[in-house]
Amino acid sequence: MASTSETGHAKNVANFQDLIAFVTSYGTIYNPSKNALKLAQLTSLQTAAQTKIADVVAKNTTFNNAVNDRMTAFGGLKSLSTRLVNALESTDAAKEKINDAKNFNRKLQGKSAAPAAPPTDPNTPAPTSISTSQQSYDQQIQHFAGLISVLQSEASYTPNENDLKIATLSAKQADLVAKNNAVSTAYTNVSNSRIARNKTLYDPTTGLVDTALEVKSYIKSIFGASSPEYKQVSKIQFKNIKK
């Protein structure tokens, strides 16, 4: 479900379109000297704002998809880690090496690991800052790499099960790294997209909201505060959100 702030951005743009419709209906009477308030510029700003909002939505979906993909990739990592320790215990590995493997497994099972969660709703806005779960996934990757390193160092570790073989584990670790990096990249993209959207909508000199307020003031100056024309636009609301 879209957040109140996300809905608010879209509402500002929709209201701006309503304002443009009234401006258009005034014909040649609406003739501001300021270029930014002219109809052509207002229409251009409206189009830019719609484009920026659509870009945030698209990049937000990409972010949520990346989060879901990462969640799937890390699913079962704890149980796999335990299986790997059990497999190592069935080899000729020294007790000390088995303890090293167990230590990495304990870290993977620990509370620092990112908790399992249901898939993210594609409409859920990406967070406005990197959460501690990102660091937790980084830690899981490190612990899993450490466990693989211990297994690689043991000559007698030659499992017949494909999912326990070193080559398979190395490929899985690479996939975990890729999936985790994809989340970071997607987060950066949606964050930058939000900045671009906010500049278009809320810049104090060129933004949609401030421009809309200036248009309303200009209409007031043309027709008067008590005119029906000004009453048409005075109730159209614009809010600075910047989130």
Side-chain angles (χ1 to χ4, degrees), residues 74-100:
F74 276 78
L77 186 61
K78 293 182 180 181
S79 60
L80 174 61
S81 174
T82 299
R83 288 179 61 209
L84 292 173
V85 172
N86 292 336
L88 183 63
E89 287 183 309
S90 66
T91 68
D92 297 327
K95 181 179 180 180
E96 292 77 13
K97 186 170 293 186
I98 293 174
N99 286 337
D100 288 342

Side-chain angles (χ1 to χ4, degrees), residues 6-112:
E6 295 296 328
T7 302
H9 300 308
K11 186 63 176 175
N12 277 331
V13 176
N15 287 350
F16 195 69
Q17 181 58 54
D18 291 340
L19 182 62
I20 289 176
F22 283 120
V23 167
T24 303
S25 72
Y26 301 148
T28 57
I29 297 176
Y30 182 87
N31 187 28
S33 58
K34 185 174 181 178
N35 188 59
L37 303 186
K38 294 182 182 297
L39 181 58
Q41 297 303 318
L42 299 181
T43 302
S44 177
L45 180 56
Q46 164 74 9
T47 299
Q50 288 178 326
T51 299
K52 296 295 173 58
I53 285 183
D55 188 64
V56 171
V57 171
K59 286 183 168 59
N60 187 78
T61 298
T62 299
F63 171 80
N64 285 333
N65 288 340
V67 169
N68 291 339
D69 289 343
R70 179 177 67 178
M71 200 174 297
T72 299
F74 276 78
L77 186 61
K78 293 182 180 181
S79 60
L80 174 61
S81 174
T82 299
R83 288 179 61 209
L84 292 173
V85 172
N86 292 336
L88 183 63
E89 287 183 309
S90 66
T91 68
D92 297 327
K95 181 179 180 180
E96 292 77 13
K97 186 170 293 186
I98 293 174
N99 286 337
D100 288 342
K102 287 182 176 179
N103 183 48
F104 283 117
N105 184 38
R106 278 194 294 270
K107 291 178 179 178
L108 275 165
Q109 306 297 333
K111 293 181 179 180
S112 62

Side-chain angles (χ1 to χ4, degrees), residues 1-3 5-6 60 63-64 120-128 194:
M1 180 178 216
S3 70
S5 61
E6 295 296 328
N60 187 78
F63 171 80
N64 285 333
T120 305
D121 185 323
N123 296 317
T124 301
T128 55
R194 282 171 171 162

Side-chain angles (χ1 to χ4, degrees), residues 54-234:
D55 188 64
V56 171
V57 171
K59 286 183 168 59
N60 187 78
T61 298
T62 299
F63 171 80
N64 285 333
N65 288 340
V67 169
N68 291 339
D69 289 343
R70 179 177 67 178
M71 200 174 297
T72 299
F74 276 78
L77 186 61
K78 293 182 180 181
S79 60
L80 174 61
S81 174
T82 299
R83 288 179 61 209
L84 292 173
V85 172
N86 292 336
L88 183 63
E89 287 183 309
S90 66
T91 68
D92 297 327
K95 181 179 180 180
E96 292 77 13
K97 186 170 293 186
I98 293 174
N99 286 337
D100 288 342
K102 287 182 176 179
N103 183 48
F104 283 117
N105 184 38
R106 278 194 294 270
K107 291 178 179 178
L108 275 165
Q109 306 297 333
K111 293 181 179 180
S112 62
T120 305
D121 185 323
N123 296 317
T124 301
T128 55
S129 62
I130 286 291
S131 65
T132 55
S133 66
Q134 177 69 25
Q135 296 175 349
S136 179
Y137 280 114
D138 292 337
Q139 291 170 358
Q140 288 186 69
I141 290 172
Q142 292 175 0
H143 299 329
F144 189 60
L147 178 55
I148 293 175
S149 179
V150 172
L151 299 176
Q152 284 178 313
S153 70
E154 178 51 52
S156 66
Y157 181 80
T158 57
N160 293 319
E161 296 78 14
N162 285 331
D163 62 337
L164 302 185
K165 292 180 179 180
I166 296 298
T168 305
L169 298 176
S170 296
K172 182 172 182 60
Q173 186 206 8
D175 183 60
L176 295 178
V177 171
K179 293 293 195 303
N180 196 44
N181 288 344
V183 172
S184 295
T185 298
Y187 169 79
T188 298
N189 290 340
V190 72
S191 180
N192 287 338
S193 182
R194 282 171 171 162
I195 291 173
R197 176 203 60 198
N198 290 349
K199 181 174 178 60
T200 299
L201 268 66
Y202 307 114
D203 185 272
T205 56
T206 63
L208 179 146
V209 169
D210 280 16
T211 298
L213 297 179
E214 287 188 53
V215 169
K216 291 168 71 173
S217 293
Y218 177 68
I219 292 172
K220 185 179 180 179
S221 72
I222 300 173
F223 299 103
S226 60
S227 67
E229 289 83 2
Y230 178 64
K231 289 181 180 179
Q232 286 178 322
V233 301
S234 63

